[in-house]
Amino acid sequence: MLYCVGDIHGHKDQLDIALERIEADGGPMASVVFLGDYIDRGPESRSVVQTLFDGIAEGRDWVALKGNHDRYLVDFIADPTYRDPKMRAGYTWFDQRIGGNATLASYGVDMSNSRPLEDIHAEACAKVPEAHIAFIKGLPTLHVTEDLICAHAGLRPGVALDNQDEEDLLWIREEFHDDPRDYGRLVVHGHTALEAPQHFGNRVDLDGGAGFGRPLTAAVFDGRDCWVLTDAGREPLTP
């Protein structure tokens, strides 16, 4: 069995609930894949990253995939003027809809509106641990099992797994969502927030909108069969 957790977006309290449900269902050594977007919007991005960092360092059977929001932090530390070209027009990382201000605040950075960008950047470089930046940089973008393909956003249809591009794995939406093909395995992803997790037959979207105040989704897969974990136990998720 494999457990998967949708986009956390800085909500450590929701992550704790998800981990408790996973342990109750599969024990402390359960295999877990986190689908990316650990930071932004919620108030505790630093604690979320630290929890994943510590768990993996302690030898838990965890895989943390890289999300597009996670990469925002790395890019900002490298160049505060950098803007991801795939970001929606008119948005910046500090836009409340994106949530970078909440991420830096969780690291103790003063995010007062009047502060110059160079001052925010200098403080961020001093307060965001280098170990967190290295951790995010080194995160994989795919996790493949006999029955599942896990990626943050999805796959580029018609492209072999070995040739998938990081930009697609972190950002793709419509081209993947609108493609009904069977990929040989069930694709499990997040990135596109829904009102609740949904099974589309060839793919499962586990981003239930925790970044917007909805519950974080943890699910368990046995082969290609899927159940969402709740306080009352497993609830089947079917097409």
Side-chain angles (χ1 to χ4, degrees):
M1 289 187 297
L2 183 70
Y3 296 82
C4 294
V5 178
D7 303 35
I8 302 166
H9 281 300
H11 288 280
K12 176 62 162 53
D13 56 341
Q14 291 285 330
L15 174 59
D16 290 342
I17 292 170
L19 292 175
E20 288 171 3
R21 289 174 176 171
I22 290 171
E23 184 164 345
D25 188 88
M29 297 309 294
S31 299
V32 185
V33 174
F34 301 89
L35 295 172
D37 280 4
Y38 311 117
I39 67 170
D40 293 348
R41 298 185 181 135
E44 296 180 290
S45 291
R46 176 176 184 150
S47 294
V48 170
V49 174
Q50 190 67 50
T51 297
L52 299 179
F53 180 94
D54 290 342
I56 291 171
E58 291 164 4
R60 288 184 178 267
D61 190 7
W62 290 0
V63 174
L65 299 180
K66 186 186 298 182
N68 61 305
H69 280 262
D70 310 313
R71 201 172 65 177
Y72 287 152
L73 176 60
V74 173
D75 290 337
F76 176 78
I77 293 296
D79 177 2
T81 65
Y82 178 78
R83 183 182 180 281
D84 194 304
K86 290 189 178 295
M87 189 181 292
R88 189 172 299 177
Y91 282 39
T92 70
W93 187 45
F94 289 164
D95 191 296
Q96 189 171 2
R97 295 164 290 185
I98 304 298
N101 52 344
T103 294
L104 291 185
S106 76
Y107 283 95
V109 177
D110 178 2
M111 296 303 296
S112 301
N113 291 334
S114 59
R115 290 198 78 194
L117 179 63
E118 56 268 26
D119 290 354
I120 293 173
H121 180 250
E123 188 177 0
C125 289
K127 290 187 173 178
V128 177
E130 292 181 7
H132 282 200
I133 297 300
F135 175 70
I136 293 171
K137 277 185 175 181
L139 295 179
T141 53
L142 271 176
H143 181 74
V144 181
T145 72
E146 182 178 348
D147 300 294
L148 306 175
I149 302 169
C150 301
H152 173 62
L155 305 177
R156 172 70 59 179
V159 176
L161 279 180
D162 290 345
N163 295 326
Q164 291 285 332
D165 185 77
E166 180 171 303
E167 296 305 308
D168 288 326
L169 296 171
L170 269 58
W171 277 100
I172 199 165
R173 283 198 171 96
E174 287 80 7
E175 302 94 328
F176 170 59
H177 297 169
D178 296 340
D179 190 89
R181 77 184 66 192
D182 189 310
Y183 290 87
R185 299 174 175 89
L186 182 66
V187 183
V188 184
H189 67 95
H191 183 56
T192 299
L194 306 175
E195 292 297 321
Q198 191 166 345
H199 197 313
F200 295 90
N202 63 342
R203 64 183 180 90
V204 172
D205 185 346
L206 291 183
D207 185 357
F212 301 102
R214 297 190 289 276
L216 176 64
T217 300
V220 58
F221 294 84
D222 187 357
R224 293 177 65 151
D225 295 330
C226 176
W227 297 263
V228 172
L229 301 182
T230 72
D231 287 341
R234 297 184 180 190
E235 292 184 357
L237 186 65
T238 56

